[in-house]
C-alpha cells in the first residue's frame, strides 16, 4: 500500500495520529501554543469517522478528570495543553498514577514561570520526569524532535500507556507544535469494542456483570501498610519500564571525545552544531534521549566508559536535564549545560561555541 | 420471635446491591439511608450491569465499599467531569455522581455548573448537610447564617463569609437541567418521597432526557455537635426554611 504523506503542523499531526490510533476521547481546554490540536479535532469531526468523542471542557482541571473517568472505563483517552495548563492537570495526573490508569498527555511547552510567554521552551523537564504532582510516581515521557515523531508517538504513547497502565506524556514544545513538516501518517486502527475492553482491561468500570466482582477505580488506600505495598508495586512497574523502554538516538558518537546531550528541538539544533564542529575536525557527537523517563542512563554510562572527555547538555532551560546527566556521570568527567530561556532559541553556532568552551 | 420472622411479614430488608461491608457513617447520619435507596432503585430498575457510580471526596468517599456496582473515586469536586466522559463514551450506561456540599458546591462548582449546562445525561445526587463532615465540621458554602462550625466558631458571619448557597436553584436556571428536586431522608415519609424522586431521575437518565439533579438535605449530628434526634429536629427547624423541600424543575420546566 502506498504511504500517505502530508504536510502538517506538529499539533495537527498528533491530533490526526490520535484519531488513527483508535482514540476514544479527547478532552481539552484552549491554550497557546497547542490550540490547533483541539481545533483540528473539532474541524475533523472524528465522531463521524471513528466515533471518537471530542469535548471542550470548562478548564484544564475538568479536562484531566474527564480523562480519568474515560480511562477508568478502559477507553483510549487523551488531553493536551501547554505548560500552565499542564500544571493545573497535575493533580489529576497524580490520581491517574495512583489508580494506574492509562492515557495520553501532550505538553506543547512554553516559557515560564507563571504565565511566562507563548514562545517555545523546555522548562518543564523536572515537572515531567520527576512525577509532576504529589506523591512518588512517574509517567512515561516521550520527547519528539520532528512532526513525524509527533504522529508516531501518539500511537506509541497509547500502546505504552496500556501496556503498563500508566499515563504517557508527549513532552514537545512550541517549535515542534507549530512547525510544518512532511509526515507519514499511521494507518487507521479500530477503537476498542466493549467486548475487547472487558477482556483486555478486566479492571475497567463498564458495568458489573454477575461473572465478576465489582470494579473500583480509586487512588485511595487508608490502611498504611496497604498503601505502602501499592507504592512499592508502582516502583516495581517503574523499574520494569526503566529496564525495557529506554529509547534514544546517537549521532557521530562512535569516536566522539565530547558529546552533546539534548532532546526535542534542542536535539535538532545540536545536530547541526555537531556538523559545524565536525567540519572543523572536532570529534563531537550527539546523544538524543527519546524517552526522558525512562532516561538513557546506560547509554551515558557507556560513553563515560569510552573515556568521553566532557558532556554538554543543551536544553531551553536554566539547566534541568543536566542534573540527571550529572547523576549518571557521578563526577567521572565534565558535565556542563547550555541553554536559552524565556522563549529564546539557541542557534547551532551558539551551541558549537558552548561545546568549544568545555574542550 | 421466630413465628414473626417470616418472609411474608418482611417489610424491609438489606438492599440486594449492598455489600457486606458495614457503613462507616456516624450514628444518625443520612448517608446510609440515601445509599440504600439509590441501591434499591438501581436493583428495581435492573440497572446493575449498566450502573457506574462516581464517589466524591468527603464522607461518601468510600461509597464504593458499600455499593456492589462498578464505581470510580474522583478527585475533590470533579465527579461531574468523570461522569461527563463516561456518559459521552458509553451513552447506554447509567452514570451517576454522589457528592456532598463541600465537594459539589465549593471546590467542584465549575464542574457542577458546566456538566449541568451541557445537559450531560447523568444523575447527580447532592447530599447537603450544611457542613464539611469528614474533615471535622468546617464551614461549607451551605452553612446557615450564624451557624457555628470549626472554621466559623463564632457562627457564619454573612458579611465576611457569604450566605448559604442555593446551588440547586442556581443550576435549575440552566437549559441542560431536565429535573431538579430537593428531598430529605430522616423519616419514613420523606424516604418514600426521596425514593420516588431517585427513580424519576434514573428514568430520565435511561430515557436520555438530560441531567437530573437530586438534592437531599440531611443532618450531620457529629458536625453539628448534637444527638441524632436533636439534629433531625434542628434540620427541620433551621435547614428546611433555608432549603425548602420539593421539586424545582420537572420535565425541563421550572415549577411555579
Amino acid at each position: 500500500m502506498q504511504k500517505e504523506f502530508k504536510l502538517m503542523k506538529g499539533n495537527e499531526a498528533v491530533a490526526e495520529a490520535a484519531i488513527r490510533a483508535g482514540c476514544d476521547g479527547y478532552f481539552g481546554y484552549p491554550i497557546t501554543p497547542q490550540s490547533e490540536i483541539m481545533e483540528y479535532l473539532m474541524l475533523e469531526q472524528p465522531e463521524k469517522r471513528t466515533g471518537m468523542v471530542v469535548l471542550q471542557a470548562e478548564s484544564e482541571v475538568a479536562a484531566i478528570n474527564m480523562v480519568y473517568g474515560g480511562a477508568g472505563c478502559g477507553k483510549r483517552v487523551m488531553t493536551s495543553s501547554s505548560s500552565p495548563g499542564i500544571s493545573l492537570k497535575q493533580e489529576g495526573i497524580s490520581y491517574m498514577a495512583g489508580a494506574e490508569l492509562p492515557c495520553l498527555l501532550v505538553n506543547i511547552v512554553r516559557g515560564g514561570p507563571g504565565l511566562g510567554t507563548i514562545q517555545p521552551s523546555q522548562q518543564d523537564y523536572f515537572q515531567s520526569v520527576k512525577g509532576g504532582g504529589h506523591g512518588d510516581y512517574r509517567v512515561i515521557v516521550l520527547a519528539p524532535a520532528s512532526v513525524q515523531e509527533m504522529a508516531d508517538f501518539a500511537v506509541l504513547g497509547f500502546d505504552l500507556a496500556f501496556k503498563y497502565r500508566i499515563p504517557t506524556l508527549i513532552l514537545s514544545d512550541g517549535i515542534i507544535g507549530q512547525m510544518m513538516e512532511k509526515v507519514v501518517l499511521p494507518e487507521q486502527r479500530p477503537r476498542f469494542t466493549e467486548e475487547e475492553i472487558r477482556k483486555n482491561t478486566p479492571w475497567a468500570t463498564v458495568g458489573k456483570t454477575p461473572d465478576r466482582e465489582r470494579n473500583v477505580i480509586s487512588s485511595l488506600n487508608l490502611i498504611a501498610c496497604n498503601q505502602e505495598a501499592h507504592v512499592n508495586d508502582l516502583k516495581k512497574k517503574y523499574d520494569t519500564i526503566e529496564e525495557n523502554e529506554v529509547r534514544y538516538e546517537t549521532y557521530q558518537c562512535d569516536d566522539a571525545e565530547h558529546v552533546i546531550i539534548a532532546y526535542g528541538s534542542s536535539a535538532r539544533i545540536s545536530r547541526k552544531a555537531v556538523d559545524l564542529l565536525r567540519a572543523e575536525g572536532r570529534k563531537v557527537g550527539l546523544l538524543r534521549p527519546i524517552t526522558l523517563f525512562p532516561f538513557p542512563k546506560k547509554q551515558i554510562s557507556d560513553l563515560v566508559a569510552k573515556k568521553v572527555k566532557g558532556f554538554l547538555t543543551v536544553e531551553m532551560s536554566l539547566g534541568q536535564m543536566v542534573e540527571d546527566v550529572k547523576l549518571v556521570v557521578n563526577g567521572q568527567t565534565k558535565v556542563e549545560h547550555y541553554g536559552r530561556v524565556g522563549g529564546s532559541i539557541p542557534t547551532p553556532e551558539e551551541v558549537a561555541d558552548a561545546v568549544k568552551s568545555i574542550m | 420471635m421466630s413465628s414473626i420472622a417470616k418472609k411474608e411479614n418482611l417489610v424491609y430488608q438489606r438492599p440486594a446491591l449492598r455489600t457486606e461491608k458495614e457503613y462507616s457513617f456516624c450514628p444518625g447520619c443520612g448517608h446510609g439511608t440515601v445509599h440504600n435507596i439509590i441501591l434499591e432503585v438501581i436493583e428495581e430498575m435492573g440497572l446493575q450491569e449498566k450502573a457506574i457510580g462516581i464517589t466524591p471526596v468527603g464522607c461518601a468517599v468510600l461509597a464504593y465499599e458499600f455499593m456492589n456496582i462498578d464505581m470510580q473515586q474522583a478527585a475533590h469536586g470533579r465527579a461531574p467531569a468523570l461522569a461527563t466522559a463516561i456518559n459521552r463514551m458509553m451513552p447506554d450506561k447509567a452514570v451517576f455522581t454522589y457528592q456532598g456540599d463541600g465537594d459539589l458546591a465549593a471546590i467542584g462548582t465549575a464542574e457542577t455548573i458546566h456538566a449541568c449546562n451541557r445537559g450531560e445525561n447523568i444523575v447527580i445526587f447532592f447530599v447537603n448537610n450544611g457542613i464539611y463532615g469528614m474533615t471535622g465540621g468546617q464551614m461549607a458554602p451551605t452553612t446557615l447564617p450564624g451557624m457555628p462550625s470549626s472554621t466559623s466558631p463564632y457562627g457564619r458571619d454573612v458579611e465576611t463569609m457569604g450566605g448559604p448557597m442555593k446551588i440547586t436553584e442556581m443550576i435549575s436556571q440552566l437549559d441542560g437541567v431536565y429535573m431538579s428536586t430537593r428531598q430529605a431522608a430522616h423519616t419514613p415519609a420523606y424516604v418514600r418521597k426521596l425514593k420516588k424522586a431517585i427513580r424519576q431521575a434514573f428514568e430520565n437518565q435511561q430515557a436520555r432526557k438530560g441531567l437530573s439533579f437530586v438534592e437531599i438535605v440531611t443532618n450531620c449530628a457529629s458536625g453539628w455537635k448534637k444527638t441524632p434526634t436533636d439534629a433531625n429536629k434542628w434540620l427541620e427547624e433551621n435547614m428546611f426554611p433555608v432549603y425548602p423541600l420539593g421539586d424545582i424543575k420537572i420535565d425541563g420546566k421550572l415549577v411555579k
Side-chain angles (χ1 to χ4, degrees), chain A residues 312-340:
Chain A
L312 180 79
T313 63
V314 179
E315 186 182 49
M316 291 185 283
S317 76
L318 294 176
Q320 298 191 17
M321 181 179 65
V322 66
E323 293 191 7
D324 283 339
V325 175
K326 282 182 175 173
L327 277 174
V328 178
V329 173
N330 200 21
Q332 294 174 81
T333 186
K334 196 190 301 183
V335 180
E336 298 290 341
H337 165 77
Y338 179 73
R340 298 288 302 273

Side-chain angles (χ1 to χ4, degrees), chain A residues 72-94:
Chain A
C73 297
K75 299 286 184 182
R76 281 196 198 100
V77 281
M78 69 178 292
T79 187
S80 66
S81 192
S82 181
S83 308
I86 294 287
S87 292
L88 280 168
K89 291 182 199 285
Q90 289 299 339
E91 179 201 38
I93 297 169
S94 170

Side-chain angles (χ1 to χ4, degrees), chain A residues 55 58 61 65-66 68-70 72-73 77 95 194 205-208 210 212 214-218 220, chain B residues 48-49 52 64-65 67-73 75 78 81-82 85-86 88-90 93 111 114 118:
Chain A
L55 195 152
E58 60 271 29
V61 174
N65 285 285
M66 289 172 184
Y68 178 108
C73 297
V77 281
Y95 275 60
E194 184 168 325
T205 55
V206 284
K208 184 195 173 307
R212 66 156 168 84
R214 72 188 187 285
N215 282 339
V216 174
I217 302 295
S218 173
L220 177 68
Chain B
Q48 186 189 11
E49 293 184 25
I52 300 171
Y64 58 79
E65 298 216 340
M67 298 187 175
N68 194 18
I69 54 173
D70 278 3
M71 297 198 85
Q72 294 195 17
Q73 199 287 309
R78 316 302 171 209
L82 275 65
I86 299 169
R88 290 298 181 99
M89 289 187 288
M90 297 193 296
K93 304 294 177 188
E111 284 77 6
H114 288 278
R118 289 189 301 263

Side-chain angles (χ1 to χ4, degrees), chain B residues 212-224:
Chain B
S212 295
F213 192 101
V214 182
E215 175 178 345
I216 304 113
V217 188
T218 65
N219 69 51
C220 179
S222 298
W224 295 356

Side-chain angles (χ1 to χ4, degrees), chain A residues 277-338:
Chain A
L277 291 160
R278 285 274 171 181
E280 293 176 13
R282 298 174 192 269
K283 291 182 176 173
V284 176
L286 168 69
L287 171 65
R288 175 171 81 94
I290 294 172
T291 50
L292 298 177
F293 180 85
F295 194 62
K297 295 176 186 171
K298 184 181 172 296
Q299 289 68 31
I300 295 171
S301 289
D302 288 350
L303 290 169
V304 173
K306 281 170 71 181
K307 306 288 180 203
V308 164
K309 291 175 185 166
F311 292 98
L312 180 79
T313 63
V314 179
E315 186 182 49
M316 291 185 283
S317 76
L318 294 176
Q320 298 191 17
M321 181 179 65
V322 66
E323 293 191 7
D324 283 339
V325 175
K326 282 182 175 173
L327 277 174
V328 178
V329 173
N330 200 21
Q332 294 174 81
T333 186
K334 196 190 301 183
V335 180
E336 298 290 341
H337 165 77
Y338 179 73

Side-chain angles (χ1 to χ4, degrees), chain A residues 111 120-123 266 269 313-319 337-347 350-351:
Chain A
S121 168
Q122 294 179 311
Q123 291 173 284
S266 289
I269 296 161
T313 63
V314 179
E315 186 182 49
M316 291 185 283
S317 76
L318 294 176
H337 165 77
Y338 179 73
R340 298 288 302 273
V341 291
S344 298
I345 301 163
T347 65
E350 282 171 26
V351 173

